[in-house]
Amino acid sequence: MKTPSRRNVLAAGGALGAAGALGIATPAQARPVWTWSPEGSVLGTGTGADPRGVWDEEADQLVADIIQRGDVQKVNKELRKWLKNGQPLPSGLPKDLKDFIEKAKQLPPWADKNKLATAFHFNEKRGLYLGVTYGFVSGMMSTVIPREARAVYYSWGGANLRDRITKTAKLGYDIGTANAYEPDGELIVTCIKTRLAHAGVRHLLPKSPYWNKVAEEEIPISQADMMVTWHSLPTSVMRQLKTWKVPIPDNEAEAFLHSWQLCAYMLGIKEEYIPNSWDQAESQARQVLDPILGPTPEGIKLADMLLNIGTLVPGGPLKYVTRPILGSLTRYTLGDQIADWLKIRRDPFWDNVFNTLWEPFIAVREGLLSLEKAPGALSKFYWTFDEILRLGVLTVLSGAQFPISIEIPYSNNPN
Ligand code: HEM
C-alpha cells in the first residue's frame, strides 16, 4: 500500500484529527463545508457546486496547451504589447488565445456604469485609506491564508517579492482609476493576464516537489480559494474602514463592491460564487475566510519579507516608517492572534501608539474631531501616521510606475 500522503489523509476526512496526529497546525486544515447559496450571488442562481472542486477549465486547458507546446515566452512577449482594454489584440498571439481573450474581456450584463462612476469617486476620496488597507491589511492577511502563502512561496514569483508586489499593486492601482473598465483603461487587461498567470500556476505548481510536500490540494487556486483571497481584499478593507469609523455612504460602499464584483468576474470567478451584496459577502467571508486563516512556515517568511516593504517599494519613506512600526500596524489591524502566528514581536511603545491614537487620527483627518480635543500625544505622531498613509499610496502607485506586464509563468520557484 502506498504510504498515505498528508493530502490523502486529509482528503479521506477527519481532517482535524489527522492533522493533529501529524502535528500540523490545525486552522489551515479546517476547511469549512461550503453551504453558501448561489441565490445570494450576482447571478441569483447556480449549480451550487462546491467551489473547492471547481477551477477555471477554459483558461486552464488553454494555458496548459501553451506551456506544453513551448509557446509561453512568445505569448508573453506579445502580451506585453497589450495594455489598454479596448486595444486590438497583438497580431502575434495564437488564435486559440485570441479567441479566449476576445470573449473573456466582455463585461457581463449586470455591469453598471453609474455604480462604476461612484466607485471611482469613492476611490478618489478614500485613496489614502485604501492604499494602507490594501497594502497592510490585505497584503499581510494573504500570508495567513495557507493555500495562498504556499502557492505564492513555491511559484516563480515567490523568488522575487519586489517584482510580485509591484505586479499585484498594478491591480490595486488599476481598479481605482476612472476608466478602469473603459476601452482606454487597463484593469480588464490586468485581470485577464492574471487569470492566465493563475492558469499557469495550476499547471506548474503540482510539478513542484516543494509544494507537493506541503499542499493539501491536488490543484491550486480553486474557485473557493479565489473567493477567499477576494475577501482578503474588498471585504477586509471594508471591515477595516468601518472599524476605523470612516464615514461611508451606502451608495459608495455598494459601488466599491460593484467594482470588485466585476473584477472577480474578469479574474475568471464564476458568477454563482460572487456575492450580490455586502450582507452576502459578509456571510460568505465568515464561512470561507475567517475559519481558514492560519500560520504556515511559508507565510511567516513572506510576512517577514513584507515587513520590509519600506525598502521594497521604490520611493518608500524608509527612514520614518520602520519595521517595528509596520509590525505594530499589523498587530493593530489584524489582531494579536495573527501577529503572533506571524511571529511579529510585540513592541509595547508602538502597539500602544496605534491602540490609543490611530482612531483619533482618522477622526481628526475626517474633521470629526479637532486636534485640540484629540489626545495630546496625537500631534507628536500625526506626521508618522501620515507617512504610513503615504507608504500605502506609494505601494499602490508602484503598480503604475513601471511598464509592468503580468506574465504566464513557465517555471516554479527553484528553491
Ligand atoms: C499572481 C491577483 C487569487 C496565487 C497574481 C497576480 C495578481 C494576482 C495581480 C500577478 C502578479 C504576479 O505575477 O506576481 C490575485 C487576485 C486574487 C488572486 C486579485 C483573488 C481575487 C489567488 C489565489 C492564489 C493565488 C487564491 C493561490 C491560492 C498566485 C500565484 C501567482 C499569482 C502563485 C504568481 C504567478 C507567478 O509566479 O508568476 N495574482 N490573485 N492568487 N497569484 Fe493571484
Side-chain angles (χ1 to χ4, degrees):
M1 202 180 92
K2 222 174 117 192
T3 317
S5 70
R6 170 179 163 178
R7 177 189 289 154
N8 293 340
V9 172
L10 295 170
L16 275 173
L22 294 169
I24 301 160
T26 49
Q29 277 68 48
R31 301 297 291 174
V33 179
W34 177 268
T35 55
W36 190 80
S37 163
E39 282 172 23
S41 72
V42 290
L43 213 53
T45 174
T47 61
D50 186 333
R52 288 172 298 185
V54 184
W55 289 269
D56 185 356
E57 56 289 348
E58 218 184 328
D60 294 348
Q61 185 56 55
L62 174 66
V63 172
D65 284 350
I66 293 173
I67 296 175
Q68 270 155 2
R69 61 186 194 235
D71 276 352
V72 176
Q73 318 241 26
K74 200 174 89 191
V75 163
N76 280 337
K77 197 167 155 221
E78 285 300 303
L79 283 176
R80 269 173 234 149
K81 300 179 202 158
W82 182 42
L83 301 170
K84 301 283 176 194
N85 302 334
Q87 181 189 336
L89 293 176
S91 56
L93 282 180
K95 183 176 177 320
D96 51 358
L97 181 56
K98 258 191 186 167
D99 292 347
F100 169 81
I101 296 179
E102 287 298 352
K103 201 169 116 202
K105 70 181 199 177
Q106 302 306 321
L107 287 171
W110 44 268
D112 182 329
K113 291 211 165 188
N114 291 329
K115 281 189 187 171
L116 290 177
T118 310
F120 172 63
H121 171 66
F122 174 73
N123 276 294
E124 239 189 349
K125 201 163 80 175
R126 298 303 182 201
L128 279 174
Y129 304 147
L130 290 174
V132 83
T133 46
Y134 284 147
F136 300 111
V137 179
S138 310
M140 274 294 175
M141 187 178 278
S142 72
T143 68
V144 286
I145 297 175
R147 290 181 177 208
E148 186 177 350
R150 293 188 195 111
V152 165
Y153 193 83
Y154 294 111
S155 66
W156 176 248
N160 188 347
L161 206 66
R162 178 197 286 254
D163 186 55
R164 168 155 272 149
I165 289 171
T166 48
K167 282 183 176 167
T168 307
K170 169 130 183 79
L171 193 142
Y173 174 81
D174 287 349
I175 200 167
T177 54
N179 51 2
Y181 293 97
E182 295 294 325
D184 59 338
E186 298 191 1
L187 181 64
I188 295 179
V189 176
T190 298
C191 285
I192 292 177
K193 287 182 179 175
T194 302
R195 188 173 172 187
L196 298 173
H198 285 157
V201 173
R202 291 192 193 99
H203 182 75
L204 292 170
L205 212 47
K207 302 182 198 323
S208 156
Y210 308 104
W211 182 79
N212 260 297
K213 228 187 258 171
V214 292
E216 306 150 4
E217 68 276 36
E218 300 276 344
I219 306 170
I221 324 188
S222 68
Q223 292 275 318
D225 295 325
M226 286 296 290
M227 280 317 300
V228 168
T229 298
W230 187 89
H231 285 298
S232 73
L233 288 150
T235 312
S236 304
V237 163
M238 194 46 86
R239 283 176 174 178
Q240 202 64 60
L241 296 187
K242 281 189 179 164
T243 308
W244 294 346
K245 304 191 182 68
V246 176
I248 303 172
D250 287 349
N251 68 324
E252 291 181 19
E254 202 189 324
F256 178 64
L257 173 66
H258 188 68
S259 68
W260 274 101
Q261 288 166 324
L262 276 181
C263 179
Y265 177 86
M266 287 295 159
L267 286 165
I269 300 179
K270 299 196 186 302
E271 288 158 293
E272 70 171 281
Y273 304 125
I274 305 174
N276 67 9
S277 65
W278 276 118
D279 283 349
Q280 286 296 336
E282 261 301 326
S283 86
Q284 198 187 68
R286 280 196 296 273
Q287 188 175 108
V288 302
L289 174 73
D290 303 339
I292 61 96
L293 299 177
T296 55
E298 295 81 6
I300 293 168
K301 285 183 219 158
L302 290 170
D304 186 61
M305 294 189 240
L306 271 180
L307 284 180
N308 288 331
I309 198 159
T311 57
L312 293 170
V313 172
L318 327 178
K319 257 201 200 129
Y320 307 103
V321 186
T322 56
R323 218 182 132 90
I325 297 182
L326 293 180
S328 292
L329 175 63
T330 306
R331 186 171 290 281
Y332 172 65
T333 52
L334 295 180
D336 283 335
Q337 188 180 43
I338 292 184
D340 291 344
W341 281 343
L342 293 174
K343 303 195 188 302
I344 293 174
R345 279 206 217 122
R346 283 178 193 267
D347 182 310
F349 179 78
W350 283 108
D351 291 350
N352 184 47
V353 167
F354 280 104
N355 282 330
T356 53
L357 299 176
W358 184 267
E359 267 193 41
F361 165 69
I362 300 285
V364 170
R365 286 200 85 260
E366 289 302 310
L368 302 171
L369 179 71
S370 67
L371 196 54
E372 295 73 49
K373 289 202 175 136
L378 179 59
S379 48
K380 246 171 85 191
F381 293 98
Y382 201 96
W383 200 70
T384 309
F385 285 171
D386 245 3
E387 284 290 274
I388 290 172
L389 293 180
R390 200 164 81 83
L391 178 59
V393 170
L394 279 174
T395 307
V396 174
L397 276 181
S398 71
Q401 280 167 345
F402 309 100
I404 289 168
S405 189
I406 293 167
E407 313 219 319
I408 301 174
Y410 49 87
S411 151
N412 290 314
N413 188 342
N415 301 305

